[in-house]
């Protein structure tokens, strides 16, 4: 063994040189790698432990895998895989799902929150869920009511911070993301854009009923 270099590192170097030799050049190796299949490995809890091109030469015997759709796996390559997990049903079918947030708001009482429904017309607060972000707007009528009030001092029923919970359409207690906006933002900006961790357009949006009317657009 070379001094200061572990056997594992030497083995990886050997595999790289062999792959480079098989491909013909480093550039051809890169091109071949980009065309290669993706492989995803997860543990018994569904936690993703590895996402890689080509099947690795050594796999932890406790790791599990599944014949996922290649397009679905490729979509994960630029994302934080810690935000996803693998759910396997009773028939052994595995699916990649967005991991719910670990949050104190994960048990929402229906009396404490209201569903923001789609609709048309006027609303005090409106929200739009797009592919990568959420857009929140306060109506001009509400802004007019706070005219002359310093935004930092403005409150609605004693609250200056508002949270909108983006939840599973079938279970409101499974929250995938939380949109947090302040009264200062609502009063001083035409609209507020907040990044979302994934495409959540299929989800429902809940919030504490502080304003009189909400609308999802």
């Amino acid at each position: 063994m070379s001094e200061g270099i572990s056997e594992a590192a030497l083995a990886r170097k050997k595999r790289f040189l062999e792959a480079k030799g098989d491909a013909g050049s480093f550039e051809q190796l890169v091109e071949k790698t980009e065309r290669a299949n993706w492989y995803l490995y997860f543990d018994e809890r569904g936690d993703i432990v590895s996402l890689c091109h080509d099947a690795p030469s050594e796999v932890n015997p406790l790791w599990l895998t599944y014949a996922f759709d290649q397009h679905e796996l490729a979509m994960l390559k630029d994302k934080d895989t810690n935000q996803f997990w693998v759910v396997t049903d009773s028939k052994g079918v595995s699916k990649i799902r967005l991991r719910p947030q670990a949050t104190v708001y994960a048990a929402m009482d229906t009396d404490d929150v209201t569903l923001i429904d789609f609709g048309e017309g006027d609303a005090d607060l409106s929200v739009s869920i797009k592919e990568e972000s959420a857009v929140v707007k306060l109506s001009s009528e509400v802004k007019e009511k706070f005219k002359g009030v310093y935004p930092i001092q403005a409150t609605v029923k004693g609250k200056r911070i508002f949270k909108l919970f983006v939840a599973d359409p079938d279970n409101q207690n499974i929250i995938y993301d939380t949109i947090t906006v302040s009264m200062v933002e609502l009063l001083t900006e035409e609209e507020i854009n907040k990044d979302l961790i994934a495409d959540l357009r299929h989800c429902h949006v809940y919030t504490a009923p502080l304003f009189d009317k909400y609308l999802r657009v």
Side-chain angles (χ1 to χ4, degrees):
M1 183 176 70
S2 299
E3 185 178 355
I5 303 178
S6 68
E7 292 184 0
L10 289 172
R12 287 194 298 270
K13 180 179 179 181
K14 181 174 182 292
R15 289 196 298 270
F16 169 77
L17 293 175
E18 289 175 348
K20 179 182 175 183
D22 292 341
S25 68
F26 176 74
E27 290 75 15
Q28 290 173 312
L29 175 61
V30 171
E31 183 179 350
K32 178 182 177 182
T33 301
E34 290 177 345
R35 294 197 308 266
N37 285 338
W38 288 94
Y39 289 82
L40 184 145
Y41 295 89
F42 55 97
D43 61 22
E44 60 181 5
R45 296 178 302 182
D47 296 336
I48 296 173
V49 294
S50 179
L51 176 66
C52 55
H53 265 135
D54 286 331
S57 58
E58 296 179 8
V59 175
N60 187 315
L62 298 178
W63 289 1
L64 305 172
T65 191
Y66 186 79
F68 295 104
D69 179 82
Q70 283 296 308
H71 178 71
E72 187 178 17
L73 294 181
M75 294 289 286
L76 288 177
K77 69 183 182 69
D78 296 323
K79 298 184 182 296
D80 180 3
T81 55
N82 290 322
Q83 295 177 346
F84 299 83
W85 66 348
V86 176
V87 178
T88 302
D89 63 22
S90 59
K91 297 180 181 180
V93 178
S94 295
K95 296 182 179 180
I96 301 169
R97 291 287 183 260
L98 194 62
R99 183 187 295 277
Q101 288 184 342
T103 166
V104 295
Y105 300 102
M108 295 189 294
D109 192 299
T110 53
D111 295 331
D112 298 331
V113 296
T114 184
L115 172 66
I116 302 179
D117 277 324
F118 285 98
E120 298 179 353
D122 298 326
D124 296 334
L125 189 79
S126 64
V127 58
S128 175
I129 303 298
K130 301 184 182 299
E131 186 174 354
E132 298 180 343
S133 65
V135 179
V136 184
K137 297 179 66 174
L138 189 65
S139 72
S140 56
E141 289 78 8
V142 174
K143 288 183 178 181
E144 183 65 25
K145 292 178 182 179
F146 286 92
K147 191 174 182 180
V149 179
Y150 286 114
I152 198 171
Q153 296 177 334
T155 64
V156 175
K157 296 182 180 178
K159 302 293 185 182
R160 292 190 177 93
I161 302 296
F162 311 98
K163 294 181 180 291
L164 292 82
F165 308 108
V166 188
D168 188 284
D170 299 317
N171 186 342
Q172 70 178 47
N173 292 323
I174 299 177
I175 300 172
Y176 294 122
D177 209 344
T178 302
I179 305 162
T180 303
V181 295
S182 68
M183 197 62 183
V184 172
E185 291 175 300
L186 291 170
L187 289 174
T188 59
E189 299 182 26
E190 179 66 25
E191 60 181 34
I192 303 165
N193 284 271
K194 298 287 185 176
D195 291 338
L196 297 174
I197 61 174
D199 185 351
L200 302 176
R201 288 175 291 180
H202 66 289
C203 292
H204 288 175
V205 182
Y206 296 87
T207 192
L210 299 172
F211 291 96
D212 291 334
K213 185 177 180 182
Y214 293 88
L215 199 62
R216 184 169 173 185
V217 296

